[in-house]
């Protein structure tokens, strides 16, 4: 299948999140906070992590707690 580009990965996260897949929201939230493959949008990233955490995505809850602890 070949390698997936960072852009393709982000597009997949957006599509998944839009479809209600909360892990996709968590991964997109991380991307938006880190700004590695997309422009930083911390507010949107935090909101997506909160949405995913509310849906019991443990990864999102962990990252959300770390961001809050570190001044987010």
């Amino acid at each position: 299948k070949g390698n997936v580009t960072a852009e393709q990965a982000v597009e997949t996260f957006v599509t998944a999140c839009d479809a209600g897949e909360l892990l996709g929201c968590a991964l997109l939230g991380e991307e938006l906070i880190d700004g590695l493959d997309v422009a930083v949008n911390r507010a949107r990233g935090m909101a997506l992590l909160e949405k995913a955490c509310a849906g019991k995505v443990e990864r999102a809850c962990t990252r959300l707690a770390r961001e809050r602890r570190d001044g987010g």
Side-chain angles (χ1 to χ4, degrees):
K1 286 188 173 183
N3 293 333
V4 175
T5 66
E7 254 182 29
Q8 290 170 321
V10 170
E11 287 175 20
T12 300
F13 301 157
V14 170
T15 300
C17 185
D18 288 349
E21 175 54 54
L22 295 179
L23 179 57
C25 296
L27 295 171
L28 180 57
E30 291 175 5
E31 286 285 340
L32 289 167
I33 290 169
D34 295 338
L36 300 176
D37 301 311
V38 296
V40 172
N41 185 335
R42 185 169 176 77
R44 182 167 178 231
M46 291 293 284
L48 289 169
L49 288 177
E50 288 170 3
K51 176 180 177 176
C53 182
K56 309 290 189 230
V57 177
E58 186 176 333
R59 174 190 186 112
C61 298
T62 300
R63 179 66 186 264
L64 194 57
R66 189 169 76 229
E67 291 298 324
R68 288 178 174 159
R69 179 197 69 207
D70 294 344

